[in-house]
């Protein structure tokens, strides 16, 4: 009797392992293909390709198809938008942002790191309740990353100047913490679309609340991003150009001086904290939705 139970358990473990191996294999193949294509299109640097392969295969392998494909949706939609009207954005990008539109390892983990950690926790979760909670967190982190990227890429094209989220003061386009109506609209659209894509990919097996949880957590998460960007992110000032920048060395080649913020907290750190806040908000909303 005991022997036959053990055999049954072993068979189940083998089945689960082979399913995980297949998923990991598909994840590795898909993320390598997309990573290399993105490298050729100059959307990713070499270290960015490594990051994409690591986070892509773990989310796909441990979370499953809906996790992996929604990560791809985030990545592909963001890459398309960053190439959209690229020449118009170039001057702003060179001056303000610490990096160009070729994403490196730090940027990949800033957006996908929280999701990758949640996929590891998901693989180790024992109960369905915990798995659903972690899944909501994953959606919240990706909804925030999507909302923030869409807002940055589309908001920078706004014809009305942005206002600082902290004081409401008018500021230059591309300034961390500056928000516009069109950028906020883009953030809401990005967050909601991520939720809808995830919901469709679950094919009726997920929570019906996913789309609106994604909308709220992604929007609030991206506003957290702007708030942290305006308050604690390290900002510098170029004495030659008399301009504010995220760069240690300005695009003109001059050494900048610290202006405000925590010296080690760059834009990647702020993005990581924002996706974390999106994940926490989504888990709270999911928990509230189970009460009714
Ligand atoms: Zn300068």
């Amino acid at each position: 009797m005991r022997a036959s139970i053990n055999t049954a358990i072993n068979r189940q473990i083998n089945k689960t392992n082979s399913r995980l191996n297949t998923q990991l294999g598909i994840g590795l193949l898909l993320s390598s293909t997309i990573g290399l294509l993105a490298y050729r299109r100059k959307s990713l640097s070499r270290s960015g390709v490594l990051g994409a392969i690591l986070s892509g295969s773990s989310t796909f392998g441990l979370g499953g198809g809906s996790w992996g494909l929604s990560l791809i949706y985030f990545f592909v939609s963001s890459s398309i938008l960053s190439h959209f009207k690229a020449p118009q954005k170039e001057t702003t990008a060179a001056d303000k942002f610490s990096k160009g539109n070729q994403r490196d390892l730090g940027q990949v983990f800033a957006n996908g790191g929280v999701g990758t950690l949640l996929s590891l926790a998901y693989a180790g979760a024992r109960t369905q309740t915990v798995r659903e909670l972690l899944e909501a967190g994953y959606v919240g982190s990706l909804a925030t990353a999507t909302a923030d990227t869409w807002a940055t890429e589309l908001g920078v094209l706004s014809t009305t100047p942005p206002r600082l989220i902290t004081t409401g003061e008018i500021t230059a386009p591309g300034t961390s913490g500056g928000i516009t109506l069109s950028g906020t609209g883009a953030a809401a659209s990005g967050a909601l679309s991520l939720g809808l894509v995830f919901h469709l990919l679950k094919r009726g097996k997920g929570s019906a609340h996913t789309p609106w949880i994604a909308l709220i957590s992604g929007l609030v998460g991206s506003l957290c991003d702007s708030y942290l960007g305006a308050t604690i992110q390290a900002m510098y000032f170029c004495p030659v150009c008399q301009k504010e920048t995220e760069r240690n060395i300005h695009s003109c080649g001059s050494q900048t001086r610290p202006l405000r913020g925590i010296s080690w907290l760059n834009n990647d750190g702020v993005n990581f904290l924002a996706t974390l806040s999106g994940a926490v908000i989504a888990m709270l909303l999911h928990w509230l939705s189970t009460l009714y």
Side-chain angles (χ1 to χ4, degrees):
M1 186 61 187
R2 183 169 290 167
S4 73
I5 291 175
N6 278 342
T7 326
I9 291 172
N10 279 334
R11 211 175 282 151
Q12 193 55 41
I13 289 173
N14 284 338
K15 229 166 99 183
T16 313
N17 277 342
S18 77
R19 185 178 56 87
L20 271 181
N21 285 339
T22 316
Q23 274 180 205
L24 274 172
I26 297 172
L28 188 63
L29 194 72
L30 265 178
S31 53
S32 318
T33 311
I34 290 174
L36 290 172
L37 281 174
Y39 178 71
R40 284 189 58 183
R41 283 205 62 189
K42 296 198 184 342
S43 293
L44 283 177
S45 71
R46 258 181 224 194
S47 74
V49 175
L50 179 71
I53 292 173
L54 286 174
S55 62
S57 0
S58 60
T59 46
F60 207 109
L62 304 173
S66 44
W67 287 48
L69 292 172
S70 51
L71 179 68
I72 291 174
Y73 170 75
F74 153 70
F75 182 72
V76 172
S77 69
S78 302
S79 305
I80 290 170
L81 287 182
S82 78
H83 286 280
F84 176 67
K85 297 198 176 169
Q88 259 169 270
K89 294 175 189 162
E90 224 147 63
T91 41
T92 323
D95 263 6
K96 294 277 180 185
F97 301 147
S98 48
K99 294 156 181 174
N101 57 7
Q102 202 173 7
R103 285 155 198 279
D104 61 20
L105 186 67
Q107 278 165 307
V108 171
F109 275 121
N111 288 302
V114 171
T116 306
L117 293 174
L118 285 167
S119 75
L120 293 171
Y122 184 81
R126 297 273 179 88
T127 67
Q128 188 60 21
T129 314
V130 175
R131 270 193 289 272
E132 282 170 7
L133 191 68
L134 293 167
E135 188 162 272
Y138 179 76
V139 170
S141 77
L142 261 197
T144 303
T146 311
D148 188 46
T149 316
W150 285 32
T152 306
E153 297 299 348
L154 294 173
V156 84
L157 296 168
S158 173
T159 46
T160 49
R163 286 174 181 277
L164 276 181
I165 191 170
T166 42
T167 58
E169 250 177 280
I170 287 181
T171 181
T175 307
S176 276
I179 58 170
T180 58
L181 196 61
S182 61
T184 310
S189 316
L192 179 63
S193 71
L194 188 280
L196 287 170
V197 164
F198 192 89
H199 187 59
L200 290 174
L201 287 167
K202 287 299 275 188
R203 284 176 297 175
K205 283 182 194 147
S207 159
H209 299 295
T210 303
W212 70 261
I213 289 180
L215 171 64
I216 298 172
S217 60
L219 191 57
V220 177
S222 75
L223 290 174
C224 281
D225 193 290
S226 300
Y227 185 79
L228 297 174
T231 52
I232 57 172
Q233 181 181 332
M235 289 301 289
Y236 303 90
F237 189 77
C238 173
V240 178
C241 312
Q242 297 284 307
K243 276 180 180 169
E244 215 174 276
T245 172
E246 290 180 358
R247 292 180 172 210
N248 203 351
I249 306 283
H250 196 216
S251 53
C252 68
S254 326
Q255 174 73 49
T256 57
R257 60 177 173 77
L259 188 63
R260 61 163 190 273
I262 302 170
S263 62
W264 52 264
L265 193 70
N266 63 4
N267 190 249
D268 292 345
V270 165
N271 280 339
F272 185 86
L273 290 176
T275 50
L276 185 63
S277 71
V280 171
I281 292 162
M283 289 196 271
L284 276 172
L285 291 172
H286 170 78
W287 174 71
L288 283 174
S289 80
T290 58
L291 299 178
Y292 295 99

